[in-house]
Amino acid sequence: MRRRRRLEADELADRLAGKRLILTATTGRSGSELLARALALHRGVVARHEPKPTFSSAFRSVLAAPGVAREYWLSLKLPAILALDAPIFVETSHVACKGFLESLLD
């Protein structure tokens, strides 16, 4: 099972090689929705404020078991990002930096 998940992670990484991911680390109520709207005006950019699947939907689970963040990325978030037809994806959220970014880097 672990080897299969590693292969899936490698496949997702290969597919993401042509995309630039930009995730914000902000405080809540700081203007991140306005930032997403402004960035979305640029050609080749898909910018969303807290799009589904939301980080907040898995936040409590990640706090209880940090390994859940990896599964969230592999099963939900990265496939959703790959489904978007743009070379640059921006997500503005104040939750991405609360336990999710470390697992993405891994």
Side-chain angles (χ1 to χ4, degrees), residues 24-59:
T24 61
T26 66
T27 61
R29 310 295 310 152
S30 62
S32 55
E33 184 174 1
L34 178 62
L35 176 62
R37 289 181 187 180
L39 292 172
L41 297 173
H42 295 276
R43 186 177 315 135
V45 175
V46 169
R48 305 270 166 77
H49 176 68
E50 299 180 5
K52 292 183 181 180
T54 61
F55 288 111
S56 60
S57 67
F59 178 62

Side-chain angles (χ1 to χ4, degrees), residues 43-97:
R43 186 177 315 135
V45 175
V46 169
R48 305 270 166 77
H49 176 68
E50 299 180 5
K52 292 183 181 180
T54 61
F55 288 111
S56 60
S57 67
F59 178 62
R60 296 228 182 261
S61 297
V62 169
L63 286 180
V68 171
R70 178 180 170 81
E71 290 303 314
Y72 173 82
W73 281 110
L74 294 176
S75 301
L76 297 171
K77 190 56 111 174
L78 292 177
I81 292 168
L82 285 167
L84 300 170
D85 186 30
I88 301 171
F89 172 75
V90 179
E91 178 167 343
T92 61
S93 168
H94 68 281
V95 185
C97 63

Side-chain angles (χ1 to χ4, degrees), residues 1-9 70-71 74:
M1 180 70 149
R2 187 178 183 109
R3 181 180 162 101
R4 190 176 112 223
R5 289 308 280 170
R6 181 74 236 158
L7 291 173
E8 290 173 5
R70 178 180 170 81
E71 290 303 314
L74 294 176

Side-chain angles (χ1 to χ4, degrees), residues 6-19 74 78 82:
R6 181 74 236 158
L7 291 173
E8 290 173 5
D10 289 345
E11 180 185 327
L12 282 171
D14 289 344
R15 291 176 57 204
L16 283 165
K19 280 194 185 280
L74 294 176
L78 292 177
L82 285 167

